[in-house]
Amino acid sequence: MRQPWELVADALRRAIMDKTYKPGDQLPSESQLAAQHHASRPTIRRALQDLRLKGLIETRQGKGAFVRRPPPLAITLTAENYNRHQREGRPGFQAQMSEQGHTSHQDILEVATVPAPSEVAQRLGLEEGQDVLMRRLRFVVDELPVQLVRVYYEPGLIAGSQLERPVVIPDGVHAELRRLGVRVTRFVEDFMGARLPDPEEERALQLPSGVPVTRNIRTAYAGDQPIEVLDTVSHGEVVSHRFEIEL
Protein backbone atom coordinates (compact mmCIF):
# COMPACT_ATOMS: atom_id res chain seq x y z
CA MET A 1 0.00 0.00 0.00
CA ARG A 2 1.34 3.41 -0.95
CA GLN A 3 2.21 5.93 1.72
CA PRO A 4 0.17 9.16 1.99
CA TRP A 5 3.18 11.30 1.05
CA GLU A 6 3.60 9.29 -2.17
CA LEU A 7 0.01 10.04 -3.18
CA VAL A 8 0.54 13.76 -2.55
CA ALA A 9 3.85 13.72 -4.43
CA ASP A 10 2.19 12.01 -7.40
CA ALA A 11 -0.62 14.56 -7.46
CA LEU A 12 1.84 17.47 -7.37
CA ARG A 13 4.02 15.82 -10.01
CA ARG A 14 1.02 15.50 -12.33
CA ALA A 15 0.15 19.13 -11.74
CA ILE A 16 3.71 20.12 -12.68
CA MET A 17 3.77 17.89 -15.76
CA ASP A 18 0.42 19.17 -17.09
CA LYS A 19 1.58 22.75 -16.47
CA THR A 20 -0.99 23.52 -13.77
CA TYR A 21 2.19 24.68 -12.03
CA LYS A 22 4.57 26.05 -14.67
CA PRO A 23 8.37 26.43 -14.43
CA GLY A 24 9.08 29.28 -12.02
CA ASP A 25 5.65 29.13 -10.34
CA GLN A 26 5.49 29.11 -6.57
CA LEU A 27 3.65 26.17 -5.05
CA PRO A 28 1.00 26.77 -2.39
CA SER A 29 2.25 26.91 1.19
CA GLU A 30 2.53 23.76 3.28
CA SER A 31 -0.65 24.65 5.15
CA GLN A 32 -2.53 25.28 1.90
CA LEU A 33 -1.30 22.00 0.43
CA ALA A 34 -2.26 20.17 3.63
CA ALA A 35 -5.79 21.53 3.33
CA GLN A 36 -6.04 20.75 -0.39
CA HIS A 37 -4.85 17.16 0.02
CA HIS A 38 -6.40 16.47 3.43
CA ALA A 39 -2.96 15.57 4.74
CA SER A 40 -0.73 16.48 7.67
CA ARG A 41 2.11 19.01 7.41
CA PRO A 42 4.77 16.27 7.86
CA THR A 43 3.18 14.37 4.95
CA ILE A 44 3.35 17.49 2.79
CA ARG A 45 6.99 18.09 3.76
CA ARG A 46 7.92 14.53 2.81
CA ALA A 47 6.16 14.88 -0.55
CA LEU A 48 7.96 18.16 -1.25
CA GLN A 49 11.27 16.58 -0.29
CA ASP A 50 10.66 13.82 -2.83
CA LEU A 51 9.91 16.36 -5.58
CA ARG A 52 13.04 18.33 -4.68
CA LEU A 53 15.25 15.23 -4.78
CA LYS A 54 13.84 14.38 -8.21
CA GLY A 55 14.74 17.85 -9.46
CA LEU A 56 11.16 19.04 -10.02
CA ILE A 57 11.12 21.83 -7.45
CA GLU A 58 13.54 23.99 -5.53
CA THR A 59 13.07 25.57 -2.13
CA ARG A 60 14.09 29.14 -1.34
CA GLN A 61 14.78 30.19 2.21
CA GLY A 62 11.85 32.16 3.60
CA LYS A 63 9.93 32.06 0.32
CA GLY A 64 8.71 28.50 -0.20
CA ALA A 65 8.85 25.93 -3.00
CA PHE A 66 9.04 26.76 -6.71
CA VAL A 67 8.79 24.64 -9.84
CA ARG A 68 12.31 24.25 -11.13
CA ARG A 69 13.26 25.64 -14.52
CA PRO A 70 15.22 22.90 -16.30
CA PRO A 71 18.55 24.30 -17.48
CA PRO A 72 18.72 24.24 -21.28
CA LEU A 73 21.79 22.20 -22.23
CA ALA A 74 22.80 22.53 -25.87
CA ILE A 75 25.33 20.02 -27.15
CA THR A 76 26.84 21.42 -30.34
CA LEU A 77 29.15 19.43 -32.60
CA THR A 78 31.36 21.34 -35.00
CA ALA A 79 34.82 20.60 -36.35
CA GLU A 80 36.04 23.81 -34.71
CA ASN A 81 34.87 23.07 -31.18
CA TYR A 82 35.82 19.38 -31.36
CA ASN A 83 39.38 20.17 -32.47
CA ARG A 84 39.72 23.04 -30.00
CA HIS A 85 38.64 20.90 -27.05
CA GLN A 86 41.03 18.14 -28.18
CA ARG A 87 43.93 20.63 -28.35
CA GLU A 88 43.03 21.89 -24.88
CA GLY A 89 42.95 18.34 -23.50
CA ARG A 90 39.31 18.61 -22.42
CA PRO A 91 36.58 16.03 -23.06
CA GLY A 92 33.93 17.60 -25.28
CA PHE A 93 30.89 17.17 -23.00
CA GLN A 94 32.53 18.63 -19.91
CA ALA A 95 34.08 21.43 -21.96
CA GLN A 96 30.75 22.45 -23.46
CA MET A 97 28.97 22.35 -20.11
CA SER A 98 31.70 24.50 -18.54
CA GLU A 99 31.40 27.01 -21.38
CA GLN A 100 27.66 27.24 -20.66
CA GLY A 101 28.29 27.94 -16.97
CA HIS A 102 27.49 24.47 -15.61
CA THR A 103 29.42 21.99 -13.52
CA SER A 104 29.47 18.40 -14.77
CA HIS A 105 30.98 15.02 -14.21
CA GLN A 106 30.62 11.49 -15.49
CA ASP A 107 29.98 8.30 -13.54
CA ILE A 108 31.53 5.08 -14.83
CA LEU A 109 28.71 2.59 -14.27
CA GLU A 110 30.26 -0.45 -15.95
CA VAL A 111 33.09 -1.58 -18.20
CA ALA A 112 32.59 -5.06 -19.62
CA THR A 113 32.99 -7.32 -22.63
CA VAL A 114 29.51 -8.00 -24.06
CA PRO A 115 27.97 -9.49 -27.22
CA ALA A 116 27.56 -6.78 -29.83
CA PRO A 117 23.92 -5.69 -30.29
CA SER A 118 22.84 -5.74 -33.92
CA GLU A 119 22.84 -1.93 -34.25
CA VAL A 120 26.39 -1.79 -32.89
CA ALA A 121 27.71 -4.76 -34.88
CA GLN A 122 26.36 -3.26 -38.11
CA ARG A 123 28.06 0.07 -37.45
CA LEU A 124 31.41 -1.46 -36.42
CA GLY A 125 31.40 -3.94 -39.28
CA LEU A 126 31.26 -6.96 -36.93
CA GLU A 127 29.09 -10.03 -36.64
CA GLU A 128 26.08 -9.70 -34.35
CA GLY A 129 26.96 -11.21 -30.97
CA GLN A 130 30.71 -10.82 -31.49
CA ASP A 131 32.53 -9.61 -28.38
CA VAL A 132 32.86 -5.84 -27.98
CA LEU A 133 34.10 -3.76 -25.08
CA MET A 134 31.33 -1.59 -23.61
CA ARG A 135 31.80 1.43 -21.35
CA ARG A 136 28.51 2.40 -19.67
CA LEU A 137 28.44 5.98 -18.39
CA ARG A 138 26.13 8.53 -16.83
CA PHE A 139 26.66 12.26 -17.36
CA VAL A 140 25.56 14.62 -14.59
CA VAL A 141 25.16 18.40 -14.89
CA ASP A 142 24.59 20.59 -11.82
CA GLU A 143 23.82 17.36 -9.90
CA LEU A 144 21.07 16.44 -12.41
CA PRO A 145 21.63 13.22 -14.42
CA VAL A 146 21.09 14.14 -18.07
CA GLN A 147 22.52 11.35 -20.24
CA LEU A 148 23.13 7.61 -20.21
CA VAL A 149 25.79 6.49 -22.66
CA ARG A 150 27.04 3.13 -23.87
CA VAL A 151 30.31 3.30 -25.84
CA TYR A 152 31.42 0.26 -27.84
CA TYR A 153 34.83 -0.74 -29.24
CA GLU A 154 36.30 -3.74 -30.98
CA PRO A 155 38.44 -5.23 -28.14
CA GLY A 156 41.62 -5.63 -30.16
CA LEU A 157 41.62 -1.92 -31.03
CA ILE A 158 41.88 -0.74 -27.45
CA ALA A 159 43.79 -3.64 -25.84
CA GLY A 160 46.06 -2.53 -23.01
CA SER A 161 44.60 0.99 -22.83
CA GLN A 162 42.78 2.93 -20.12
CA LEU A 163 39.57 2.27 -22.04
CA GLU A 164 39.54 -1.25 -20.63
CA ARG A 165 39.43 0.05 -17.06
CA PRO A 166 36.54 1.66 -15.11
CA VAL A 167 38.31 5.01 -14.85
CA VAL A 168 37.60 8.52 -16.08
CA ILE A 169 40.19 9.54 -18.66
CA PRO A 170 40.99 13.19 -17.84
CA ASP A 171 41.69 14.34 -21.40
CA GLY A 172 38.98 12.17 -22.94
CA VAL A 173 38.67 8.85 -24.74
CA HIS A 174 39.72 10.24 -28.11
CA ALA A 175 43.01 11.42 -26.60
CA GLU A 176 43.49 7.85 -25.37
CA LEU A 177 42.75 6.57 -28.88
CA ARG A 178 45.41 8.91 -30.28
CA ARG A 179 47.91 7.45 -27.84
CA LEU A 180 47.09 4.11 -29.48
CA GLY A 181 47.78 5.62 -32.91
CA VAL A 182 44.08 5.97 -33.81
CA ARG A 183 42.82 9.42 -34.85
CA VAL A 184 39.13 10.21 -35.31
CA THR A 185 38.48 11.85 -38.68
CA ARG A 186 34.68 12.01 -38.95
CA PHE A 187 31.39 11.22 -37.25
CA VAL A 188 28.06 9.87 -38.48
CA GLU A 189 25.13 10.61 -36.18
CA ASP A 190 21.73 8.89 -36.31
CA PHE A 191 18.80 10.40 -34.41
CA MET A 192 16.68 7.47 -33.27
CA GLY A 193 13.70 9.50 -32.03
CA ALA A 194 11.97 10.22 -28.73
CA ARG A 195 10.14 7.77 -26.49
CA LEU A 196 9.22 7.09 -22.90
CA PRO A 197 12.09 5.70 -20.81
CA ASP A 198 12.31 2.12 -19.65
CA PRO A 199 12.37 1.57 -15.86
CA GLU A 200 16.19 1.44 -15.71
CA GLU A 201 16.52 4.72 -17.62
CA GLU A 202 13.83 6.35 -15.49
CA ARG A 203 15.70 5.41 -12.31
CA ALA A 204 19.18 6.31 -13.55
CA LEU A 205 18.09 9.70 -14.93
CA GLN A 206 15.74 10.34 -11.97
CA LEU A 207 12.95 11.17 -14.40
CA PRO A 208 9.47 12.10 -13.22
CA SER A 209 6.69 10.01 -14.71
CA GLY A 210 5.84 11.01 -18.28
CA VAL A 211 9.14 12.73 -19.16
CA PRO A 212 10.50 11.41 -22.49
CA VAL A 213 14.03 10.55 -23.51
CA THR A 214 15.75 10.96 -26.87
CA ARG A 215 18.26 8.55 -28.39
CA ASN A 216 21.21 9.23 -30.70
CA ILE A 217 23.77 6.77 -32.08
CA ARG A 218 27.07 8.29 -33.18
CA THR A 219 29.74 6.34 -35.08
CA ALA A 220 33.31 7.64 -35.10
CA TYR A 221 35.63 6.77 -37.98
CA ALA A 222 39.38 6.80 -38.53
CA GLY A 223 39.47 7.18 -42.29
CA ASP A 224 37.05 4.56 -43.58
CA GLN A 225 37.33 2.37 -40.48
CA PRO A 226 34.54 2.59 -37.86
CA ILE A 227 36.21 2.59 -34.45
CA GLU A 228 33.62 3.68 -31.87
CA VAL A 229 29.85 3.59 -31.45
CA LEU A 230 28.28 5.95 -28.91
CA ASP A 231 24.67 5.09 -27.98
CA THR A 232 23.23 8.01 -25.98
CA VAL A 233 19.90 8.32 -24.16
CA SER A 234 19.23 11.91 -23.07
CA HIS A 235 16.78 13.64 -20.72
CA GLY A 236 14.22 14.81 -23.27
CA GLU A 237 13.23 18.04 -21.48
CA VAL A 238 16.77 19.25 -20.80
CA VAL A 239 19.22 18.25 -23.54
CA SER A 240 19.17 19.49 -27.12
CA HIS A 241 21.59 18.54 -29.91
CA ARG A 242 22.85 20.87 -32.60
CA PHE A 243 25.13 20.07 -35.53
CA GLU A 244 26.87 22.72 -37.60
CA ILE A 245 28.34 21.85 -40.98
CA GLU A 246 30.70 24.27 -42.71
CA LEU A 247 30.33 24.04 -46.49
Side-chain angles (χ1 to χ4, degrees), residues 175-218:
E176 184 70 2
L177 287 173
R178 285 197 301 276
R179 288 188 280 270
L180 295 170
V182 179
R183 180 176 294 275
V184 174
T185 57
R186 68 184 175 102
F187 297 104
V188 174
E189 184 108 10
D190 297 304
F191 177 64
M192 309 302 288
R195 57 171 172 77
L196 290 176
D198 63 32
E200 178 188 350
E201 293 164 345
E202 190 171 65
R203 285 192 301 272
L205 291 174
Q206 300 175 17
L207 295 170
S209 177
V211 172
V213 294
T214 60
R215 183 176 177 225
N216 293 62
I217 301 180
R218 177 185 299 174

Side-chain angles (χ1 to χ4, degrees), residues 48-210:
L48 293 175
Q49 180 187 36
D50 180 69
L51 296 178
R52 182 176 58 79
L53 291 174
K54 287 183 167 64
L56 289 176
I57 66 170
E58 59 186 10
T59 54
R60 302 175 191 171
Q61 187 67 32
K63 293 185 177 180
F66 294 78
V67 179
R68 186 176 180 183
R69 298 180 187 274
L73 306 176
I75 299 174
T76 301
L77 180 62
T78 68
E80 187 280 328
N81 69 13
Y82 174 81
N83 290 323
R84 174 167 51 84
H85 295 150
Q86 292 297 302
R87 288 194 303 271
E88 295 168 350
R90 297 194 296 163
F93 184 90
Q94 284 89 337
Q96 291 201 41
M97 294 303 100
S98 176
E99 289 166 0
Q100 294 176 44
H102 301 286
T103 60
S104 66
H105 68 270
Q106 60 175 282
D107 301 322
I108 310 292
L109 303 179
E110 181 184 11
V111 177
T113 299
V114 301
S118 60
E119 292 175 316
V120 172
Q122 179 183 4
R123 287 169 171 82
L124 286 178
L126 305 175
E127 295 292 329
E128 183 177 351
Q130 186 174 335
D131 282 352
V132 289
L133 183 105
M134 178 193 69
R135 291 172 62 87
R136 189 162 61 91
L137 319 170
R138 176 172 58 187
F139 288 88
V140 180
V141 177
D142 300 333
E143 303 307 317
L144 176 68
V146 297
Q147 287 188 326
L148 299 174
V149 179
R150 285 179 167 86
V151 195
Y152 298 91
Y153 303 94
E154 192 279 313
L157 179 74
I158 46 83
S161 73
Q162 294 291 313
L163 292 166
E164 295 181 307
R165 302 175 54 207
V167 295
V168 174
I169 300 171
D171 53 355
V173 297
H174 289 174
E176 184 70 2
L177 287 173
R178 285 197 301 276
R179 288 188 280 270
L180 295 170
V182 179
R183 180 176 294 275
V184 174
T185 57
R186 68 184 175 102
F187 297 104
V188 174
E189 184 108 10
D190 297 304
F191 177 64
M192 309 302 288
R195 57 171 172 77
L196 290 176
D198 63 32
E200 178 188 350
E201 293 164 345
E202 190 171 65
R203 285 192 301 272
L205 291 174
Q206 300 175 17
L207 295 170
S209 177

